[in-house]
Amino acid sequence: MMGWLKEDIAEKWRNEGKRYARDVNAFVRKGMQGEQPDESELEGDSRSGMSAEVFHMVRQANLHGDLEMLRRELPAATWPLSEAFQASMQAVNVVGYLNEETCVCNTGIFTENGQIYTMDQHGGQLISPYTFAGCSADGLDYALAGPDGVRIIRQPDRRLEGQEIATYRWEDIQARIQSSLPRIESLADCEHPERTLEGLIPMDEGRALLIHSRYGIYLVTQAQVTLLHPDLAEIEEYELEDTQLDMGHAAVSRDGRWLAYGSQGSNHMVMDRQLNKTYSLYPESSYPHYAAFTSDNQNVWFNACHFYNGVTIQVPLEDIQGNETKEDWPIMNENARVYAAVETEAGMVLGDAYGYLYCVNGEGKEVWRHFVGSTIYSLVVSPEQSKLAVGTYGGMLHVLDLHSKEMDEYGIGTGTLRELERYVLWRGEEPLRW
């Protein structure tokens, strides 16, 4: 028998995991059938008391390479660990899939030790000397940022090496921003601009780059840099001292024609690069929070939040012109505060603040929901649409099977999604598989 496995604890962990999943699933079903179940009747998950011992076993199993046994004996869960390991948890930003098996993700966002990993069923590989990666809307080109600048690589391999199609140096980017925003603190004034990044989206085969930084959203080409958000006129009108954003977000349509962006203080912004026009739409709820395009380049989905809830609308791009003051765009979901979204064959998957995924079709009907256990930070679907990678604020990267026939007995949700594997990407730790 494996020396690392404490069978009595593992059995308790499994039984409690099954019991909790059963109870929550029954509770959700009742709610969806229109009943008003009483949340106080839900008995809490008692696994947190075992979390330190369980996590010790996860580490040991990784050292011994006993991963199949680990998943069988100690099914992965985030929720019970969150109390004991809160300080180790960090946001995981899944960037893209290189192929059906390998995805790319960022950790250590906003810190001096930002890291990029490629992940597949053999584990994680750290990619140095870069500290942040981004991916084009069509999944082909990767932007790799480090202290000197950003390189754009076409269809890289597992080490993120490949044909370099463009390079952008920070000193050039910062000099251009400086000349257009001389009196405002911006990305130009950051000693380590690569540590302020939340998103990098290469466009036009590397000829343009959308930079989403804590210090603003910028459209960069080889010839110029444009601050898209916050808007220069707004900075002057409200006498802002810097370009810092709260809840900034940005998206690019697959064909590169449309940009969508915003932040807590703005409207939903849409830019048509073909006509060089920018539109501003009223949010349905208080604060713009997220934007995503459908992969047919026809619609943009906008989420606006209020506390931990929110409303998501769908806006057909061809209807925007002349309808900017319209306040009744179709509502696709009216409860999720959305942190990430990605389109699958079944519909748009929205990831929310409570750790739920909601799949919503083009008519605004919920297809399924699935609980992953902590606030969702990022979502990417594999090229053949067989897998969904989910990065959370709990430091987890979940790989879910979109084609599974049924959920496992620890799963919480209304669909058939099954977790294939999971990586634990915690501060100051080597990645662990679970």
Side-chain angles (χ1 to χ4, degrees):
M1 197 54 213
M2 302 299 164
W4 55 266
L5 184 69
K6 293 184 177 164
E7 291 187 41
D8 51 335
I9 294 173
E11 189 178 358
K12 264 200 216 138
W13 176 267
R14 289 195 302 274
N15 290 341
E16 178 62 358
K18 286 179 204 171
R19 195 263 329 147
Y20 185 66
R22 258 197 321 271
D23 288 4
V24 174
N25 283 326
F27 180 84
V28 168
R29 260 197 310 278
K30 281 182 186 162
M32 289 179 81
Q33 284 158 4
E35 293 176 47
Q36 295 284 313
D38 181 1
E39 201 156 328
S40 65
E41 285 174 25
L42 257 183
E43 190 191 324
D45 185 340
S46 70
R47 284 176 291 176
S48 55
M50 305 173 233
S51 62
E53 287 171 294
V54 166
F55 203 69
H56 179 69
M57 289 190 259
V58 173
R59 281 207 178 93
Q60 293 298 313
N62 271 266
L63 285 173
H64 291 98
D66 297 332
L67 293 156
E68 268 180 53
M69 177 172 242
L70 172 66
R71 278 191 74 81
R72 194 170 61 243
E73 300 286 330
L74 286 168
T78 305
W79 193 247
L81 305 178
S82 48
E83 235 168 276
F85 295 101
Q86 195 61 53
S88 306
M89 293 180 169
Q90 60 178 348
V92 175
N93 176 8
V94 195
V95 176
Y97 266 97
L98 299 174
N99 52 49
E100 212 55 24
E101 302 305 326
T102 313
C103 68
V104 180
C105 67
N106 295 312
T107 62
I109 297 155
F110 296 155
T111 69
E112 62 225 52
N113 50 359
Q115 294 181 314
I116 306 171
Y117 290 97
T118 54
M119 295 288 180
D120 63 19
Q121 62 275 59
H122 306 296
Q125 183 165 2
L126 179 64
I127 308 295
S128 45
Y130 309 107
T131 56
F132 189 90
C135 181
S136 59
D138 61 10
L140 297 181
D141 299 332
Y142 279 75
L144 303 175
D148 298 334
V150 181
R151 295 175 68 206
I152 315 290
I153 307 290
R154 164 67 43 97
Q155 290 186 293
D157 62 16
R158 190 168 176 258
R159 304 187 61 82
L160 296 187
E161 289 167 357
Q163 179 199 356
E164 181 181 303
I165 56 173
T167 314
Y168 296 90
R169 288 168 38 199
W170 287 125
E171 53 184 293
D172 299 338
I173 293 171
Q174 288 181 310
R176 290 191 173 129
I177 298 170
Q178 192 70 52
S179 63
S180 59
L181 299 173
R183 290 177 304 282
I184 312 289
E185 194 187 326
S186 69
L187 188 63
D189 303 292
C190 297
E191 194 184 339
H192 297 283
E194 74 282 6
R195 294 181 195 167
T196 71
L197 297 175
E198 287 183 77
L200 279 179
I201 310 175
M203 299 184 292
D204 306 349
E205 306 196 332
R207 289 189 299 275
L209 175 66
L210 191 72
I211 294 180
H212 170 201
S213 153
R214 207 172 17 181
Y215 280 91
I217 295 165
Y218 301 83
L219 179 58
V220 181
T221 63
Q222 297 294 359
Q224 65 182 54
V225 180
T226 311
L227 173 66
L228 297 179
H229 190 66
D231 179 59
L232 197 50
E234 270 173 36
I235 292 174
E236 285 164 358
E237 184 185 338
Y238 299 116
E239 298 180 2
L240 302 177
E241 283 161 22
D242 61 41
T243 58
Q244 280 203 62
L245 296 178
D246 279 316
M247 301 187 330
H249 51 277
V252 176
S253 65
R254 222 183 155 90
D255 60 4
R257 173 177 172 181
W258 303 90
L259 308 179
Y261 51 91
S263 65
Q264 178 177 304
S266 72
N267 277 350
H268 295 306
M269 306 301 296
V270 185
M271 180 188 209
D272 179 347
R273 294 174 68 213
Q274 200 171 299
L275 301 179
N276 198 17
K277 274 191 160 165
T278 302
Y279 305 100
S280 168
L281 308 174
Y282 295 136
E284 186 68 42
S285 181
S286 311
Y287 304 110
H289 198 250
Y290 194 75
F293 289 95
T294 52
S295 46
D296 60 8
N297 307 305
Q298 301 295 306
N299 298 287
V300 60
W301 290 40
F302 282 116
N303 177 259
C305 67
H306 186 74
F307 296 117
Y308 264 74
N309 298 79
V311 178
T312 301
I313 56 174
Q314 175 175 269
V315 178
L317 294 165
E318 59 178 30
D319 296 349
I320 293 179
Q321 198 164 353
N323 283 318
E324 287 184 76
T325 55
K326 183 175 156 89
E327 290 187 29
D328 56 347
W329 298 106
I331 290 177
M332 308 314 275
N333 174 288
E334 45 189 345
N335 55 11
R337 171 173 174 157
V338 177
Y339 280 80
V342 70
E343 195 174 17
T344 64
E345 288 156 340
M348 190 74 87
V349 177
L350 309 174
D352 85 345
Y354 292 110
Y356 264 96
L357 301 170
Y358 295 90
C359 180
V360 178
N361 69 17
E363 283 68 64
K365 232 170 85 74
E366 184 179 312
V367 185
W368 50 255
R369 65 176 71 172
H370 188 85
F371 182 61
V372 297
S374 72
T375 299
I376 289 155
Y377 188 80
S378 54
L379 290 170
V380 170
V381 72
S382 64
E384 317 263 302
Q385 304 255 333
S386 73
K387 292 179 182 151
L388 179 65
V390 184
T392 72
Y393 278 91
M396 301 284 180
L397 170 58
H398 307 252
V399 180
L400 305 178
D401 180 358
L402 287 171
H403 291 164
S404 68
K405 295 287 176 272
E406 57 178 354
M407 205 161 51
D408 64 47
E409 51 200 344
Y410 304 94
I412 293 175
T414 60
T416 59
L417 274 73
R418 184 184 280 258
E419 186 168 295
L420 293 165
E421 61 182 334
R422 177 186 305 209
Y423 300 91
V424 185
L425 293 156
W426 283 355
R427 277 199 188 95
E429 304 241 4
E430 292 292 304
L432 293 170
R433 296 171 67 199
W434 190 359

